Amino acid sequence: MTIALAADDVAEAKQALTELERLTQILSSSALDAEYARAQGEVALAAGRPGAALPHLRRCADTWRRLSAPYETARTGMLIARACRALGDEEGAQLELESARELFAELGAIPELRDIESL
């Protein structure tokens, strides 16, 4: 799905999302559920539907926080920031980016810190 989105192939990404949904129905895993929610949000963002993306992305971030997964929480925060910005919520976007920046700094994730600066 990530490759399809990078290639702007939303139709292919939606197909991959359907396959991921099937996996979540077969396997019981909080991490898999979080990844599915992230994927739903990313596909909605790519399709130009940031309002539809936010509930999925927030659910994903909440799950990663519960699982004590700071890297994934920060990555999801960057996506939430993109959705907020697309909806005209610059304050919300900045709050999400600052939170992600702090988590990445604690982890020493230098490439990701550079990615935040480009947003």
Side-chain angles (χ1 to χ4, degrees):
M1 191 200 71
T2 302
I3 294 169
L5 288 175
D8 289 325
D9 190 346
V10 176
E12 180 67 27
K14 285 180 180 179
Q15 249 184 331
L17 185 60
T18 300
E19 292 174 26
L20 186 55
E21 180 182 25
R22 282 189 213 128
L23 279 176
T24 64
Q25 292 168 354
I26 295 168
L27 305 171
S28 178
S29 163
S30 294
L32 185 58
D33 290 342
E35 281 301 302
Y36 177 58
R38 181 197 51 79
Q40 288 175 298
E42 281 191 293
V43 169
L45 272 176
R49 298 176 25 245
L54 275 175
H56 300 296
L57 295 172
R58 287 190 173 128
R59 188 174 79 243
C60 175
D62 289 345
T63 301
W64 287 130
R65 272 191 283 282
R66 267 195 332 274
L67 294 173
S68 299
Y71 181 83
E72 290 80 5
T73 301
R75 278 186 53 227
T76 306
M78 291 175 64
L79 293 169
I80 293 171
R82 282 185 40 212
C84 286
R85 190 168 277 156
L87 292 168
D89 180 6
E90 189 59 35
E91 184 178 341
Q94 288 305 313
L95 288 170
E96 290 293 339
L97 290 173
E98 185 55 37
S99 178
R101 184 179 292 112
E102 288 174 13
L103 288 170
F104 285 142
E106 287 174 17
L107 296 169
I110 304 304
E112 289 79 0
L113 286 168
R114 287 188 199 119
D115 289 344
I116 286 179
E117 298 309 319
S118 70
L119 295 178

